Amino acid sequence: MSQVGSSYTLSTRTELAFSDAVARVRDELTHEGFGVLCEIDVQATLKQKLGVDREPYLILGACNPPLAHEALDAEPGLGVLLPCNVVVYQRRGQTHIAAVDAAQMLSIVGNDELADTASEVRRRLSAVVERAAESPGHPLDDHA
Amino acid sequence: MSQVGSSYTLSTRTELAFSDAVARVRDELTHEGFGVLCEIDVQATLKQKLGVDREPYLILGACNPPLAHEALDAEPGLGVLLPCNVVVYQRRGQTHIAAVDAAQMLSIVGNDELADTASEVRRRLSAVVERAAESPGHPLDDHA
């Protein structure tokens, strides 16, 4: 399986085209109980504001309402880290999908009450990234 | 001065009413070169999705385009942590303003190339929080 973890993301490359990967991520987020509360087209925004050309880059701000409700009760300032982002971007022609690693984020929040919630968010977003990246003809098992 | 730092936020309480604090935060973000790329009304969202009643809570996703452009070049996956949020919320009737501490976030990203950018974002968002919280009759100096 091609998923690799850096310190703060759950990320993978995919053979899907950028727009197909975006559609797959949306489907998988819904499947895992996340709504998309905001979207940022980074390529369009930086073109408009700075006139620069970048490859496609979309930020999807995902929220699982019951988990967010629970987390904000335990940690009122947590909104500075919400929603949980999943990004799809193209880099040198290759499509990447990445989600924030909620369990790693917890390390800077330092509130043990959030451990179960962070772990649950991590599990679900990891499933989103992994399943969204699968292309029909090339299941991830082929990369193992 | 009333600003206190936890591990991941730059935060303060303010004597302003919630809606006045939101207006002040917007002004100060503009003044520091941040556009608001997305907004999440947490109170309304959780009421709609879960039927629960919470106090007012607004997430403003702020982006300084030149700094974001620079940061994404150094760290393509950084979009999972963008935009930089400033939140205004009410808790037990008291208004709070908090911004993400970009320098603390950098500790989990682990890319030294971002140190100057993170430090600059931190400086600007700290100024936003501090100045937005000042109420006309009660400058922060009074709290020192």
Side-chain angles (χ1 to χ4, degrees), chain A residues 7-8 57 75-76 82 85 108, chain B residues 7-8 57 75-76 82 85 108:
Chain A
S7 60
Y8 68 108
Y57 199 121
E75 181 72 23
L82 297 179
N85 287 348
I108 63 163
Chain B
S7 58
Y8 68 108
Y57 199 121
E75 181 72 25
L82 298 179
N85 287 348
I108 63 163

Side-chain angles (χ1 to χ4, degrees), chain A residues 114-136:
Chain A
L114 293 173
D116 289 350
T117 306
S119 168
E120 180 63 18
V121 169
R122 185 188 197 282
R123 188 188 66 71
R124 292 182 189 221
L125 290 182
S126 181
V128 167
V129 171
E130 185 173 337
R131 287 201 307 262
E134 290 176 28
S135 55

Side-chain angles (χ1 to χ4, degrees), chain A residues 12-50:
Chain A
T12 190
R13 289 183 297 179
T14 174
E15 296 181 24
L16 296 170
F18 174 79
S19 57
D20 293 336
V22 170
R24 291 288 295 272
V25 166
R26 289 186 199 279
D27 286 349
E28 295 297 343
L29 282 170
T30 302
H31 185 74
E32 290 291 342
F34 291 88
V36 173
L37 297 188
C38 68
E39 297 193 23
I40 298 172
D41 181 336
V42 175
Q43 182 188 42
T45 300
L46 294 181
K47 178 71 181 176
Q48 185 200 336
K49 304 280 187 189
L50 303 176

Side-chain angles (χ1 to χ4, degrees), chain A residues 72-73 76-77, chain B residues 12-22 42-43 53-59 87-98:
Chain A
L72 285 167
D73 279 344
Chain B
T12 190
R13 290 184 296 177
T14 174
E15 296 180 25
L16 296 170
F18 174 79
S19 58
D20 293 336
V22 169
V42 175
Q43 183 188 43
D53 290 307
R54 300 185 64 94
E55 288 179 278
Y57 199 121
L58 184 69
I59 299 173
V87 301
V88 181
Y89 63 95
Q90 190 178 301
R91 184 169 163 80
R92 296 171 191 146
Q94 170 76 55
T95 306
H96 298 255
I97 302 173

